[in-house]
Amino acid sequence: MRSICQSILVSVLASAMIASPLLAAAKPLGMVVLAQNAHLGEADLALGTNVFSGDYLQTEPRGTLRMRVGAAQVYLAAASAAILDEQGDTVGAKLVRGTVGFSSAPASGFQVETPVATVSPAKGPAFGEVTLLNPQTILVAAYRGSLLVKGAGIERVIPEGSAYNITYSPDPEPAASSNSAQGTYGVSNHGHIIFAAIVLGFAAGGAYAAWHFSTESDTNPQQ
């Protein structure tokens, strides 16, 4: 009888050890607070939907999506797509196409990853947008607070109220063993990035105002 009880106890403990990582992996990263013509994969998104690491999120040409991801608010503009990602203490979005905006404090560890560079708050609260113009160029706008851009082995701060087109230029003859950053995510040291300042126009200011209003007026439904 004692041996049977021991066997049952061992089985229960083993099952718990196996289930624990699965439960941890299933923990949602955040929740949808606004969705219009937005999708998780091919399924429609709705208010209150939980989102997880690895989720592929996309909006239609007249769609919009806003989520609360940890301490950050994350926004997908129309005709955009991104993959949520969690690595250690860092939560972010891999931008596939279009524009992603975020309002975040450094403590949240949120970042936007693109084939060109990664973008995150520099210090203090920040609101910014990242647009993938083509596989080698992104547009980064810092509406409130400054943003830190990391790519091709360098770091540069985009100050509040500034916007830059940032282009990745690979080395003419990269080493045979190197991996080009074009078409992939992450930072490559086998090329350089070029910063070209642009002027934030009325449309950009309107985007910020719309974001600010919707964020401040959000009822923040509880998970």
Side-chain angles (χ1 to χ4, degrees):
M1 182 67 180
R2 182 177 179 182
S3 60
I4 294 175
C5 292
Q6 288 178 335
S7 298
I8 294 173
L9 179 60
V10 170
S11 298
V12 170
L13 291 174
S15 299
M17 292 176 66
I18 294 173
S20 295
L22 296 177
L23 291 174
K27 182 179 178 181
L29 292 185
M31 184 179 65
V32 173
V33 296
L34 175 67
Q36 297 176 347
N37 299 317
H39 309 283
L40 170 56
E42 298 300 324
D44 291 342
L45 278 170
L47 175 69
T49 301
N50 285 330
V51 289
F52 298 82
S53 180
D55 280 353
Y56 180 83
L57 307 168
Q58 56 183 327
T59 55
E60 297 179 13
R62 294 186 178 182
T64 186
L65 173 63
R66 188 158 57 89
M67 302 166 287
R68 190 174 70 245
V69 179
Q73 293 270 352
V74 183
Y75 167 88
L76 271 185
S80 300
I83 302 170
L84 289 182
D85 184 51
E86 182 179 32
Q87 298 181 12
D89 295 332
T90 301
V91 176
K94 293 183 177 181
L95 184 57
V96 176
R97 67 173 182 272
T99 298
V100 62
F102 64 92
S103 180
S104 175
S108 69
F110 189 84
Q111 69 176 19
V112 178
E113 192 173 353
T114 77
V116 177
T118 59
V119 183
S120 60
K123 54 183 176 180
F127 166 66
E129 282 187 343
V130 182
T131 300
L132 187 61
L133 300 178
N134 60 56
Q136 290 184 304
T137 304
I138 58 175
L139 166 61
V140 177
Y143 297 119
R144 184 180 65 198
S146 56
L147 302 178
L148 177 63
V149 177
K150 296 180 181 181
I154 70 167
E155 299 183 3
R156 179 164 174 173
V157 173
I158 305 298
E160 179 177 322
S162 300
Y164 285 80
N165 281 332
I166 302 171
T167 301
Y168 173 78
S169 179
D171 289 337
E173 296 181 0
S177 60
S178 68
N179 294 318
S180 171
Q182 182 177 357
T184 64
Y185 288 88
V187 175
S188 170
N189 293 322
H190 304 289
H192 57 281
I193 53 178
I194 303 167
F195 290 76
I198 63 173
V199 177
L200 285 174
F202 174 79
Y208 169 74
W211 169 277
H212 180 73
F213 175 79
S214 60
T215 299
E216 293 301 320
S217 62
D218 177 36
T219 56
N220 284 329
Q222 297 298 314
Q223 297 190 48

